[in-house]
């Protein structure tokens, strides 16, 4: 299946009028698959989450519960959209760009709101967001040499961050408030540790790529 409707070509494969428009329509329609729709929902949840988080001064338990629900939906859709895209061959250029943006947007919004309200130290927000932005930049730098696959530690980091931030979004007290501190501590350790490991892998990948380029240059000379 080429993805081009039958009307886009005539007998013997000869193009007919409107063929290019038909193919373009199919390509455009492919953007509206379930995986991309879930990504768009996550993006739309970000401003809604911020409004709920800061409603009534940001300390009302009812509003915070609604904000947690929005955050939880965003985290759940994050689990499903990538899986659906890979399983049903729904990967698109839009999804490749929008999915990581949506992930960082909802997490960044939650961390900044929590620090703004005084629930979370700013240095924690700085460490997590700095790591995410730094690794994204590093990814672009070394992409010419290859792609570093997601590690188990990276997945644990994402899970720990989601649970920790979710617990801080809720207006918890008592033992649960103490527990969320330790969950966040684990998330920070995993954030820093996996970030350093990613840098190490990027350095190795770049070194191997440069060595390969030099070898190919010598062979061609």
């Amino acid at each position: 299946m080429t993805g081009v409707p039958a009307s886009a070509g005539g007998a013997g494969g000869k193009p007919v009028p409107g063929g290019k428009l038909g193919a373009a329509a199919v390509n455009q329609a492919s953007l509206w698959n379930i995986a991309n729709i879930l990504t768009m929902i996550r993006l739309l949840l970000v401003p809604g989450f911020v409004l709920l988080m800061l409603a009534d001064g940001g300390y009302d338990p009812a509003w915070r519960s609604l904000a947690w629900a929005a955050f939880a939906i965003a985290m759940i859709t994050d689990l499903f959209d990538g899986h659906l895209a890979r399983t049903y061959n729904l990967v698109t250029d839009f999804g490749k760009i929008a999915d990581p943006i949506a992930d960082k947007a909802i997490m960044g919004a939650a961390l900044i709101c929590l620090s703004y309200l005084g629930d979370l130290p700013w240095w924690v927000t700085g460490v997590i967001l700095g790591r995410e932005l730094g690794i994204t930049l590093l990814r672009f730098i070394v992409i010419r040499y290859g792609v570093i696959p997601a590690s188990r530690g990276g997945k644990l980091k994402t899970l720990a961050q989601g649970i920790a931030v979710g617990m801080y979004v809720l207006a918890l007290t008592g033992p649960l408030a103490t527990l969320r501190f330790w969950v966040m501590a684990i998330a920070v350790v995993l954030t820093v540790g996996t970030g350093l490991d990613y840098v190490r892998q990027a350095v190795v990948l770049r070194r191997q790529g440069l060595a390969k380029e030099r070898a190919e240059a010598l062979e061609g000379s």
Side-chain angles (χ1 to χ4, degrees):
M1 181 175 179
T2 62
V4 180
S7 60
K14 295 181 180 180
V16 298
K20 291 183 178 180
L21 290 177
V26 170
N27 290 336
Q28 183 64 25
S30 68
L31 292 176
W32 296 95
N33 60 60
I34 184 63
N36 285 346
I37 290 174
L38 290 176
T39 298
M40 294 177 199
I41 290 174
R42 287 216 313 287
L43 287 169
L44 293 174
L45 281 172
V46 175
F49 167 82
V50 172
L51 290 175
L52 291 169
M53 191 70 182
L54 301 180
D56 199 19
Y59 296 104
D60 185 279
W63 288 113
R64 293 285 284 261
S65 296
L66 291 174
W68 177 86
F71 181 81
I73 291 172
M75 292 294 101
I76 291 171
T77 57
D78 178 33
L79 295 176
F80 283 104
D81 60 358
H83 174 72
L84 289 172
R86 291 186 297 271
T87 302
Y88 297 101
N89 195 27
L90 301 176
V91 177
T92 63
D93 289 338
F94 170 82
K96 292 177 183 178
I97 297 172
D99 182 66
I101 291 176
D103 297 344
K104 291 174 176 57
I106 189 66
M107 183 61 69
L111 290 167
I112 291 172
C113 284
L114 288 169
S115 292
Y116 172 78
L117 294 172
D119 293 339
L120 191 67
W122 277 105
W123 70 264
V124 174
T125 294
V127 167
I128 294 177
L129 294 185
R131 185 268 190 198
E132 299 302 329
L133 294 175
I135 295 304
T136 299
L137 178 61
L138 188 61
R139 197 189 304 267
F140 280 112
I141 293 174
V142 301
I143 195 169
R144 60 175 291 192
Y145 304 111
V147 177
I148 300 176
S151 65
R152 182 176 299 179
K155 295 177 181 178
L156 286 175
K157 178 269 301 180
T158 301
L159 178 62
Q161 285 182 358
I163 294 174
V165 171
M167 294 179 73
Y168 269 87
V169 169
L170 285 172
L172 299 177
T173 57
L176 288 177
T178 302
L179 176 62
R180 71 181 183 182
F181 168 84
W182 290 108
V183 176
M184 180 59 76
I186 293 172
V188 170
V189 171
L190 288 173
T191 296
V192 175
T194 55
L196 292 175
D197 182 64
Y198 196 101
V199 171
R200 179 191 63 79
Q201 294 184 65
V203 170
V204 172
L205 184 64
R206 182 177 181 274
R207 187 178 300 158
Q208 292 174 344
L210 290 174
K212 182 179 179 181
E213 288 179 355
R214 285 194 294 268
E216 291 175 349
L218 289 173
E219 290 177 1
S221 61

